[in-house]
């Protein structure tokens, strides 16, 4: 009577085949890289970008991968700090510092040749590098002649530039900035450097020295007033502009002709 119940939960032949399949391997989300079984290999790396960096910053590829180049220069000596080989289109170092020797030469020739016509746009590129060199040379010549007047030179230059700046802005309609005023007065001091050079070889405390000083004052005054008149358009006020400038250069001439108290005591 007892009849073994049928296996309702038994699987059919197809179902038995399903459960009898072997277990599949786990899913892989990345393909094995070229590292193989190397435990230190990072599978997320990109071998197409791997390579060796050359001396000029170029990446040397491995295989058929494209190269990636740059313009970086190899490290050199200390002199490379004054060059521009590291970057394309970079201006020279002296130009970045505002030192242009061609402009300095052009302005110096304008002062040394006062009879030449002055360009109205000569001070569009004003600089102080040239005037500082002129003041330094003037102080060196006085030092070689036994007169250490560096403090007087720079103090007188600063005070005189401030006064001339105030006068020119009161007299002219357009006005001028203090930077250009100091630049013009500094460049026009070049004839006075020649007087200081002569004082190294001979004493100027005589008639020849007085005459030479007067000529240098007139030369400096004529050059400076010509530049100011051309830049500011004050041709009708040339004498009014030249008078205070002549007084300023007269003070510089006194430093060249006469010796200080210390030098006089030693002599």
């Amino acid at each position: 009577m007892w009849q073994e119940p049928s296996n309702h939960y038994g699987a059919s032949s197809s179902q038995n085949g399903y459960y009898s399949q072997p277990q599949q391997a786990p899913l892989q989300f990345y393909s094995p890289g070229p590292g193989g079984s190397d435990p230190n290999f990072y599978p997320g790396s990109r071998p197409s970008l791997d390579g060796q960096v050359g001396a000029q910053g170029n990446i040397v590829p491995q295989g058929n991968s494209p190269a990636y180049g740059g313009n970086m220069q190899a490290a050199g000596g200390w002199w490379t700090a004054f060059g521009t080989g590291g970057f394309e289109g970079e201006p020279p170092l002296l130009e970045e510092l505002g030192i242009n020797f061609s402009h300095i030469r052009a302005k110096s020739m304008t002062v040394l040749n006062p009879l030449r016509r002055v360009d109205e746009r000569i001070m569009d590129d004003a600089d102080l590098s040239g005037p500082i060199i002129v003041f330094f040379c003037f102080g060196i010549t006085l030092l070689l002649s036994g007169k250490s007047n560096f403090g007087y030179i720079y103090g007188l230059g600063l005070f005189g530039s401030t006064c001339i700046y105030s006068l020119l802005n009161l007299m002219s309609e357009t006005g001028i900035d203090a930077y250009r005023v100091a630049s013009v007065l500094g460049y026009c001091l070049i004839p006075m450097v020649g007087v200081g050079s002569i004082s190294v070889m001979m004493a100027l405390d005589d008639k020849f020295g007085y005459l030479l000083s007067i000529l240098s004052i007139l030369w400096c005054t004529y050059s400076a007033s010509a530049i100011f008149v051309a830049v500011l358009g004050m041709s009708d006020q040339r004498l009014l502009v030249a008078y205070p400038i002549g007084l300023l250069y007269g003070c510089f001439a006194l430093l060249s002709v006469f010796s200080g108290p210390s030098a006089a005591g030693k002599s």
Side-chain angles (χ1 to χ4, degrees), residues 78-84 92-93:
W78 58 269
W79 56 86
T80 56
F82 299 94
T84 59
L93 178 62

Side-chain angles (χ1 to χ4, degrees), residues 55-66:
Q56 301 297 328
N58 298 324
I59 300 179
V60 181
Q62 294 180 354
N64 297 325
S65 302

Side-chain angles (χ1 to χ4, degrees), residues 125-140:
D125 183 27
D127 66 286
L128 287 181
S129 55
I132 289 176
I133 295 174
V134 174
F135 274 95
F136 183 75
C137 292
F138 182 59
I140 289 295

Side-chain angles (χ1 to χ4, degrees), residues 168-189:
L168 291 178
N169 281 279
L170 291 175
M171 296 171 61
S172 63
E173 297 180 357
T174 58
I176 189 173
D177 56 275
Y179 190 80
R180 286 179 170 81
V181 172
S183 180
V184 172
L185 295 177
Y187 276 110
C188 293
L189 192 68

Side-chain angles (χ1 to χ4, degrees), residues 14-267:
S14 60
Q15 291 176 342
N16 290 335
Y18 175 81
Y19 286 102
S20 62
Q21 289 181 357
Q23 187 176 3
Q24 297 180 356
L27 297 177
Q28 295 181 358
F29 294 95
Y30 55 86
S31 60
S37 59
D38 186 5
N40 297 325
F41 175 73
Y42 176 64
S45 63
R46 294 174 292 177
S48 61
L49 297 181
D50 296 338
Q52 298 177 353
V53 180
Q56 301 297 328
N58 298 324
I59 300 179
V60 181
Q62 294 180 354
N64 297 325
S65 302
Y68 300 89
N71 295 324
M72 297 178 61
Q73 299 291 337
W78 58 269
W79 56 86
T80 56
F82 299 94
T84 59
F87 304 95
E88 293 182 357
E90 182 181 3
L93 178 62
L94 295 179
E95 184 177 345
E96 291 183 351
L97 296 177
I99 302 175
N100 193 325
F101 288 107
S102 61
H103 292 180
I104 293 176
R105 179 179 177 275
K107 296 172 185 176
S108 301
M109 294 305 298
T110 302
V111 175
L112 294 176
N113 187 10
L115 300 179
R116 185 175 63 179
R117 181 181 177 275
V118 179
D119 187 6
E120 298 178 357
R121 307 182 63 86
I122 188 174
M123 296 309 299
D124 288 350
D125 183 27
D127 66 286
L128 287 181
S129 55
I132 289 176
I133 295 174
V134 174
F135 274 95
F136 183 75
C137 292
F138 182 59
I140 289 295
T141 56
L142 295 185
L143 180 63
L144 294 177
S145 62
K147 312 180 191 72
S148 180
N149 295 324
F150 282 97
Y152 292 105
I153 293 171
Y154 287 107
L156 184 60
L158 179 61
F159 178 75
S161 299
T162 304
C163 294
I164 299 300
Y165 164 74
S166 302
L167 290 175
L168 291 178
N169 281 279
L170 291 175
M171 296 171 61
S172 63
E173 297 180 357
T174 58
I176 189 173
D177 56 275
Y179 190 80
R180 286 179 170 81
V181 172
S183 180
V184 172
L185 295 177
Y187 276 110
C188 293
L189 192 68
I190 294 178
M192 204 66 64
V193 177
V195 177
S197 302
I198 297 176
S199 67
V200 177
M201 299 177 290
M202 57 179 298
L204 298 180
D205 194 3
D206 52 11
K207 295 181 179 180
F208 174 76
Y210 300 155
L211 180 61
L212 185 63
S213 300
I214 292 174
L215 292 178
S216 64
I217 293 172
L218 294 177
W219 192 345
C220 296
T221 303
Y222 187 87
S223 300
S225 60
I227 295 177
F228 284 130
V229 167
V231 172
L232 298 176
M234 302 170 58
S235 57
D236 296 336
Q237 301 175 339
R238 177 73 178 269
L239 293 178
L240 295 178
V241 173
Y243 176 71
I245 295 175
L247 294 179
L248 174 62
Y249 288 119
C251 296
F252 284 110
L254 293 177
L255 296 177
S256 302
V257 173
F258 298 102
S259 302
S262 58
K266 292 181 181 179
S267 59

